[in-house]
Amino acid sequence: MQLKVKQEKMLIAGQWIAAEQTFDVYDPQDNRLIAKVPLATENDMLMAIEKAEEAYLSTKPWPTHERMAVLQRVASYIEENKERYAETIALEGSKTIHEARMEVKRAIQTIQISAEEARRINGETINFDQSESGENRVGYYYRFPLGVIGAITPFNDPLNLVAHKVGPAIASGNAIIVKPASDTPLSALLLAEAFTQSGLPAGMLSVVTGSGRDVGDVLVTHPSITMITFTGGVDVGKKIAHKAGIKKIGMELGSNSPVIVLKDADVEKAVTSCVSGAFTAAGQNCIGVQRIYVEKEVYHQFLELYKQRTSELQLGDKLDPLTDVGPMINEREAKRVEAWVNQAVEEGAKIQMGGKRERAFYYPTILTDVPIHAVIAQEEIFGPVVLVYSVEDVYQAIAQSNAVDYGLQAGIFTKDLENAFLTIQKLEVGGIMVNDSSDYRIDAMPFGGVKQSGLGREGIKSSIEAMTEQKVVSFKLS
């Protein structure tokens, strides 16, 4: 596909606005410049917040059927332009064209589910007469929107993770301001285009591009912002929580997802699932498989088959439909992963496959004998590297799975219901996939973790609950 440098504008209160200064967006595959994007100022963000508050107050209360209609038109618009959306995701990020098309499909579903959930934002009748003082009272509670939501989104799912914040916000009647990742702002701007083409009231959505230091702090600290929803790293999440003050916060942070493979498992299915789970999107997946604990009786069988299947992955051009693994988001991140692998090897780990870097490409890598104290074993790799361990039994697997500061999702492969339920009860995670790898997710399910993996839950219904509050109404009768 012929590349030309796009001159992008950002969306503020229904207007597409340029800026005096811009920043460059590169294709990580070959470092070609693909777009120049507005570098927003503090004043730009202040304008977005002011106009969002005005739009929210002027549309309040915003009828449910109108919200649903806007979201349905957005889904249709993306469907009609899905290849353009997929190519944009692939060009600015790490995903292959096949992975990008899957993300577009998921984003359409996310918006469609948001439209459906808008009709289910219900309250409940309260039985006041359960108390003596309530015998002459009737009432209920209902949910109302918070106001203006601030969203900060990551690079690894540049369309769907933005849709996961915008869809529920609009479904519940809130205004929302998005600060997308500077590596991948183009997909968020395309989502904004879909909303402007679908009749969204001006000001209910702004996408403000630029530096987190320049505009992110304004978004986080402004008193008119009633909630911050953030997906990203733990260190940034801690800073946001410290700065935000008394407002709602939802965070999906880091992970270090384990998968347990017991001796009674279907090893071939476990291998197939864990290869995909570890190396999809070049491993830059918050629920990607990072550690695999295999019961000793099937460890060697699993490892050899895992190496064989990994060797069949095609590394290369993201836009080639035959490519399985593209580059990481930039060369800096690839060098970080390379350094972590080299450090683990110095501490005793063995490279079973991979361990090579070419520019932003890092080859799918399998490590064994990794010391549990190594950085790569304790932190989120966010790259195409997986650690494989032999364990004595399910109890050791559970103990080692829990021995990190993260707990987003996990997987277990077994035919034994007792062991399945044991791991369900004992693993310290927000979700466990039985006979599947840790990276399984549908967009309707509650999604989030424990420990340093975040606060609250995403998924459309869960996000709508977080983006609304309950108001109790009581009638005293004579």
Side-chain angles (χ1 to χ4, degrees), residues 194-209:
F195 275 93
T196 60
Q197 293 293 318
S198 301
L200 181 72
M204 294 298 285
L205 169 64
S206 291
V207 176
V208 183
T209 54

Side-chain angles (χ1 to χ4, degrees), residues 57-291:
L57 292 174
S58 67
T59 59
K60 181 183 176 181
W62 188 10
T64 302
H65 71 90
E66 292 184 7
R67 287 178 264 146
M68 292 174 61
V70 167
L71 290 163
Q72 288 161 352
R73 289 194 292 267
V74 169
S76 296
Y77 185 89
I78 300 173
E79 177 67 37
E80 291 165 5
N81 296 276
K82 59 186 177 184
E83 194 62 18
R84 180 160 66 99
Y85 279 74
E87 288 176 354
T88 300
I89 292 169
L91 280 174
E92 69 174 342
S94 297
K95 290 191 171 181
T96 66
I97 190 63
H98 173 71
E99 293 167 342
R101 287 169 180 154
M102 292 299 295
E103 181 176 347
V104 174
K105 183 177 180 180
R106 284 184 60 188
I108 293 168
Q109 293 172 348
T110 295
I111 299 298
Q112 289 171 334
I113 296 167
S114 296
E116 286 299 308
E117 287 296 335
R119 72 168 82 244
R120 289 187 275 271
I121 305 175
N122 297 320
E124 190 172 292
T125 302
I126 302 170
N127 296 324
F128 283 98
D129 62 357
Q130 63 189 279
S131 171
E132 293 86 345
S133 65
E135 289 184 11
N136 60 339
R137 286 175 170 84
V138 296
Y140 59 94
Y141 75 82
Y142 71 96
R143 305 196 75 92
F144 63 94
L146 297 177
V148 183
I149 309 292
I152 301 173
T153 59
F155 72 81
N156 56 315
D157 286 295
L159 181 67
N160 193 39
L161 286 183
V162 180
H164 258 282
K165 300 181 187 300
V166 177
I170 299 303
S172 51
N174 293 285
I176 182 167
I177 299 168
V178 178
K179 209 303 279 184
S182 295
D183 286 314
T184 56
L186 306 181
S187 299
L189 292 171
L190 270 186
L191 182 65
E193 176 188 302
F195 275 93
T196 60
Q197 293 293 318
S198 301
L200 181 72
M204 294 298 285
L205 169 64
S206 291
V207 176
V208 183
T209 54
S211 162
R213 181 175 58 255
D214 294 335
V215 297
D217 282 357
V218 179
L219 184 65
V220 168
T221 60
H222 198 285
S224 294
I225 299 298
T226 52
M227 177 183 179
I228 293 294
T229 172
F230 169 73
T231 301
V234 174
D235 291 341
V236 176
K238 288 179 178 178
K239 292 176 182 177
I240 289 173
H242 178 72
K243 294 175 181 177
I246 301 176
K247 61 183 65 174
K248 275 196 169 184
I249 298 176
M251 292 188 174
E252 194 271 286
L253 304 175
S255 182
N256 185 332
S257 295
V259 172
I260 297 170
V261 181
L262 298 183
K263 61 186 177 184
D264 65 335
D266 185 323
V267 173
E268 289 202 7
K269 288 182 178 179
V271 165
T272 300
S273 184
C274 288
V275 168
S276 172
F279 303 125
T280 293
Q284 296 163 123
N285 176 9
C286 56
I287 48 176
V289 177
Q290 180 165 328
R291 296 170 292 146

